Amino acid sequence: MKKYNQLLQTVFFVFTLCMVLLACQKINRPPLGDYTKDANPPGGPLKFYAAFDGTSSDKLMNAVDSVRATFPSDNPFTSVAGITGKGIQANGTKAIKYPSANDFNGVTSCTISLWVNNVVNPNTELYFSLVSKDYWHESAAFLLVENAAVDKCTFKFALQDHWVEFTGQSFTKPLFNGQWHHLAFVYNETTSILKVYFDGTEVPTPGNSGNFGIGKLNIKNATNLVVGGWNKHAGLSGPTDSWISGFTGKMDQFRLYGKALSASEILALYNSKL
């Protein structure tokens, strides 16, 4: 009996010693540099990004910007299947209104990137507006499309009162064929040139219209960002003419960069459906 008790004591001692050693063992953990980093940190080149991927009953959450968590003050659109995840279905009469585009108003070069899906309609549609009292009709940047046919339309992009205009249905791309298409507008302060991209490929601008000759952008007084329409569709100051319609199609992956993306970077956005 005595030997049995001694055996139990020995087993208990060994067990206790093992537990102590295990408790004292150094725990492996990654050094600080190995932790996952934010792909789009505030202050980085991506200034604003609305993926429209939310599935909440709160529409404001479904349109939040993921760079600085900037919520819209109004989102009148419904959620639909997008090019990646969810997108928005616009209605032509209202628009999403953001209090700002984060620190995008401090950029001197830029890229505006978005996915759209629409069908032929008779409207003059405004796709977005960066609101600023300094420029024509209180908009520092906007996209206007009209005279739509399946494979051509009139297409006008404005930035700081300079326009790239494909007049008389000379934008010969299938923008209104009911499929998803990627649009990108790239302004480079070094060259003062604005480039237009459709589905990852540059579209030559008519004449010399892409050469703005303004150097660094100055949009420091830009305030609200309007997506899916123009100023009036978000209840903001600007023209109220009846011909000004909001966007009526679907939209997804709205991005604002504070740099001029390269042609390969634009192609990567298109190929990755980003």
Side-chain angles (χ1 to χ4, degrees):
M1 185 67 177
K2 183 178 179 180
K3 290 182 178 181
Y4 179 77
N5 289 336
Q6 289 177 337
L7 178 60
L8 286 178
Q9 289 175 355
T10 302
V11 172
F12 179 78
F13 174 79
V14 172
F15 175 79
T16 304
L17 180 61
C18 290
M19 294 300 294
V20 170
L21 290 174
L22 287 172
C24 294
Q25 184 178 2
K26 182 178 178 180
I27 298 174
N28 292 326
R29 53 186 174 185
L32 289 177
D34 289 347
Y35 286 113
T36 302
K37 297 179 180 178
D38 188 348
N40 303 305
L46 184 59
K47 302 298 184 181
F48 182 96
Y49 172 37
F52 306 119
D53 276 340
T55 56
S56 169
S57 58
D58 183 347
K59 290 186 176 182
L60 300 185
M61 294 185 67
N62 296 341
V64 65
D65 145 68
S66 64
V67 177
R68 291 183 180 268
T70 299
F71 281 81
S73 51
D74 187 27
N75 175 17
F77 299 152
T78 55
S79 182
V80 295
I83 185 66
T84 301
K86 294 293 184 179
I88 51 172
Q89 172 65 63
N91 57 33
T93 60
K94 295 186 180 296
I96 301 176
K97 178 173 67 176
Y98 294 91
S100 74
N102 300 328
D103 58 347
F104 185 71
N105 61 356
V107 306
T108 51
S109 294
C110 73
T111 300
I112 300 174
S113 167
L114 65 155
W115 285 87
V116 292
N117 180 330
N118 209 353
V119 295
V120 173
N121 66 78
N123 303 323
T124 297
E125 297 196 350
L126 277 295
Y127 284 47
F128 60 82
S129 172
L130 181 64
V131 181
S132 174
K133 62 181 179 59
D134 292 341
Y135 299 106
W136 184 80
H137 287 347
E138 300 194 34
S139 182
F142 63 85
L143 173 62
L144 180 157
V145 178
E146 59 188 351
N147 302 321
V150 171
D151 57 356
K152 58 185 177 180
C153 63
T154 300
F155 188 94
K156 303 178 181 182
F157 174 79
L159 178 64
Q160 207 173 292
D161 282 350
H162 291 74
W163 294 58
V164 168
E165 297 186 85
F166 295 84
T167 59
Q169 294 183 309
S170 59
F171 190 78
T172 53
K173 301 295 178 182
L175 186 59
F176 288 87
N177 67 351
Q179 303 297 316
W180 283 103
H181 295 289
H182 184 248
L183 296 174
F185 307 90
V186 180
Y187 177 76
N188 189 324
E189 66 186 85
T190 302
T191 62
S192 288
I193 290 176
L194 186 286
K195 295 183 178 180
V196 177
Y197 291 83
F198 180 86
D199 284 352
T201 301
E202 183 181 351
V203 182
T205 55
N208 199 37
S209 63
N211 191 343
F212 288 179
I214 58 177
K216 293 182 177 181
L217 293 175
N218 179 11
I219 52 176
K220 62 183 180 181
N221 291 323
T223 54
N224 299 89
L225 173 64
V226 179
V227 175
W230 212 8
N231 300 24
K232 78 168 189 175
H233 304 111
L236 299 169
S237 59
T240 58
D241 307 57
S242 59
W243 61 267
I244 301 173
S245 174
F247 182 59
T248 59
K250 301 171 186 176
M251 188 178 293
D252 198 6
Q253 304 289 321
F254 190 93
R255 287 176 163 86
L256 300 176
Y257 291 87
K259 72 170 188 175
L261 295 187
S262 66
S264 60
E265 288 173 317
I266 295 297
L267 184 59
L269 287 176
Y270 171 68
N271 287 334
S272 302
K273 296 181 170 56
L274 296 176

